[in-house]
Amino acid sequence: MSRFRKEFYRQLVEESQDPMWVHFQGIIVYVNRAAITFFAAASVDELLGNRVLDFVHPDDRESVKQRIRMMYVDGAPVIQQEARLIRLDGTEVYVDVVGTPISYEGKTGAQAIVRDITPRKQAEEALQQAYGKLQLALRESEQRAQDSVKRKELVD
């Protein structure tokens, strides 16, 4: 890759509003500015050298391990998958993750790009709750209507 192309690519990654990082053998070796903000880190030093899986919600670790394995062993990219990550402040965040196997300094690693989908997930949950309440109200209304019909039949 020419020096210009490398510099251009580096600038694209650094200026991206999507958090990105690179990891080798599961250890984070590079993060862009957006990732520092995303993880609520004070500096890049709080992220570099950490295991990627340390930031993955415990319930999602096994599936994320499998995806990482696919990139390292098979060289297969991870096409937009949902996962939950944990920020340094303990906040749980839902994300869409895209992973790409890369070669850097002769090593096989992976680049991850994430997009925070927490607001969408919260809206989906609120919609599900509203739907559940609506179904309950409908069942109660139907029950009242049936009770009313039975009372009317008893009176007649």
Side-chain angles (χ1 to χ4, degrees):
M1 187 182 289
S2 75
R3 183 170 165 75
F4 170 77
R5 286 178 41 197
K6 283 182 185 178
E7 199 54 42
F8 179 73
Y9 176 75
R10 185 170 198 65
Q11 186 176 4
L12 276 175
V13 169
E14 275 302 317
E15 299 302 323
S16 174
Q17 298 204 355
D18 290 326
M20 296 182 196
W21 59 86
V22 173
H23 57 89
F24 292 103
Q25 298 176 338
I27 304 298
I28 298 171
V29 296
Y30 171 81
V31 295
N32 69 352
R33 289 183 203 126
I36 296 168
T37 302
F38 173 81
F39 281 109
S43 72
V44 66
D45 296 330
E46 288 187 83
L47 300 172
L48 297 183
N50 286 300
R51 291 175 355 118
V52 171
L53 291 176
D54 291 344
F55 295 102
V56 177
H57 189 281
D59 294 343
D60 294 346
R61 284 189 183 140
E62 196 54 44
S63 64
V64 171
K65 276 184 198 178
Q66 290 174 2
R67 290 183 231 155
I68 290 172
R69 199 173 304 121
M70 284 173 42
M71 286 189 290
Y72 284 152
V73 176
D74 302 334
V78 172
I79 308 300
Q80 195 169 350
Q81 297 281 323
E82 279 188 18
R84 287 171 292 173
L85 300 179
I86 307 295
R87 291 181 171 153
L88 290 172
D89 63 6
T91 306
E92 182 179 310
V93 184
Y94 286 89
V95 296
D96 276 337
V97 180
V98 175
T100 307
I102 62 168
S103 177
Y104 182 76
E105 295 180 358
K107 299 177 188 173
T108 299
Q111 175 180 309
I113 303 170
V114 301
R115 180 149 297 151
D116 186 350
I117 60 168
T118 304
R120 184 186 87 202
K121 295 299 277 186
Q122 290 170 337
E124 288 172 359
E125 170 127 353
L127 187 60
Q128 285 290 347
Q129 288 176 356
Y131 181 69
K133 288 178 183 178
L134 184 61
Q135 283 185 315
L136 179 61
L138 180 61
R139 283 194 301 271
E140 289 172 350
S141 177
E142 288 171 343
Q143 185 63 47
R144 282 192 301 275
Q146 288 174 0
D147 291 346
S148 179
V149 168
K150 287 179 184 176
R151 270 187 248 125
K152 186 170 180 359
E153 288 174 353
L154 287 174
V155 172
D156 289 340

